[in-house]
Amino acid sequence: MNHWLIKSEPDAFSIDDLAKVKQEPWNGIRNYQARNFMWRDMKVGDLAIFYHSNAKPPGAVGVARVVSEPYPDATQFDKSDKYYDPKSDPEKPRWWLVDFELVGKFDEMIPLQTMKDDPVLSEMTVCKRGSRLSITPVDPVHFEYLCGLAKFTP
DNA sequence: GCCAACGTTGGC
DNA sequence: GCCAACGTTGGC
C-alpha cells in the first residue's frame, strides 16, 4: 500500500466537507506530476494525509482513503467550470482523478510548523522549501509517526 | 531545444 | 500583500 499527502484549501474544500459527503472526486488537479500519482500509482485502499493549505495555520488535519480506480476528471470538459481545459480531447482525456473518502479527522491538527520543527517529519516533501505539489507520496514511517503524534489510529 | 516572460502556489 | 519557487508558454 502507498501513502500520500493531499492538499486542499479549506475555503474551497475542507476535511469537514469531506466528512459530509460519502466520497469526493479529487478534481481540479492540473499538474502532470500530481496527475500521474493519481492515474498511475494510487490504488484503492491507499491512505492519505489530508492537509489544509492556505490556512491559518496550514497543517495536517486527518486521514482519507482512495476509494475508486482512476477515471477522467469531468470538469476538464465543462466549459462553465473553472477547471475547463479546451486542450483536452474527450477521446484521450488529459486529466484523471480518484475518489477519496474520510477515514477520520485528527482531534487536533498538526500544524506545518510542528512538522517542520520535528526531526522526523521535517523530511516530508510538504516541509521542504518551495514545495507546491498538491499530491505527494509519503514514507510509511512518516505516515505512522504523524498519526502517532495526532493520537490517531487509521 | 533554449530561455525569458508570465502565471500560480502557498507560506509568511 | 509580498515574494520565492517552480511550472508553462511561446518566440526564436
Side-chain angles (χ1 to χ4, degrees):
Chain A
M1 178 172 76
N2 292 317
H3 295 81
W4 308 93
L5 181 143
I6 55 176
K7 293 183 186 175
S8 188
E9 302 193 11
D11 288 348
F13 190 82
S14 71
I15 191 160
D16 293 322
D17 294 323
L18 185 60
K20 285 177 199 153
V21 294
K22 269 192 179 164
Q23 60 187 75
E24 177 73 7
W26 209 247
N27 59 30
I29 301 297
R30 296 294 180 267
N31 170 286
Y32 286 104
Q33 232 183 315
R35 189 276 316 262
N36 287 343
F37 288 141
M38 289 199 286
W39 168 71
R40 190 187 59 201
D41 300 325
M42 282 190 184
K43 301 288 177 242
V44 171
D46 280 2
L47 296 178
I49 301 293
F50 198 106
Y51 176 90
H52 278 172
S53 62
N54 255 326
K56 294 174 187 173
V61 290
V63 174
R65 177 191 290 118
V66 175
V67 288
S68 82
E69 302 293 329
Y71 62 98
D73 181 343
T75 63
Q76 70 193 307
F77 304 123
D78 180 355
K79 285 200 171 88
S80 67
D81 197 282
K82 69 168 174 170
Y83 295 120
Y84 174 61
D85 182 354
K87 292 179 188 166
S88 184
D89 175 1
E91 298 299 313
K92 206 181 173 216
R94 181 180 290 197
W95 306 112
W96 294 67
L97 51 69
V98 298
D99 287 358
F100 282 96
E101 71 175 8
L102 182 68
V103 174
K105 182 181 172 180
F106 294 159
D107 291 336
E108 287 186 35
M109 75 145 23
I110 306 294
L112 177 62
Q113 191 58 57
T114 302
M115 296 164 67
K116 283 184 168 178
D117 291 341
D118 186 281
V120 176
L121 297 181
S122 58
E123 293 300 311
M124 293 175 69
T125 306
V126 73
C127 292
K128 301 283 169 65
R129 225 162 78 103
S131 163
R132 298 189 310 158
L133 202 53
S134 61
I135 298 177
T136 51
V138 169
D139 188 310
V141 171
H142 295 156
F143 186 92
E144 290 302 323
Y145 186 100
L146 180 57
C147 286
L149 253 194
K151 300 183 178 63
F152 181 83
T153 311

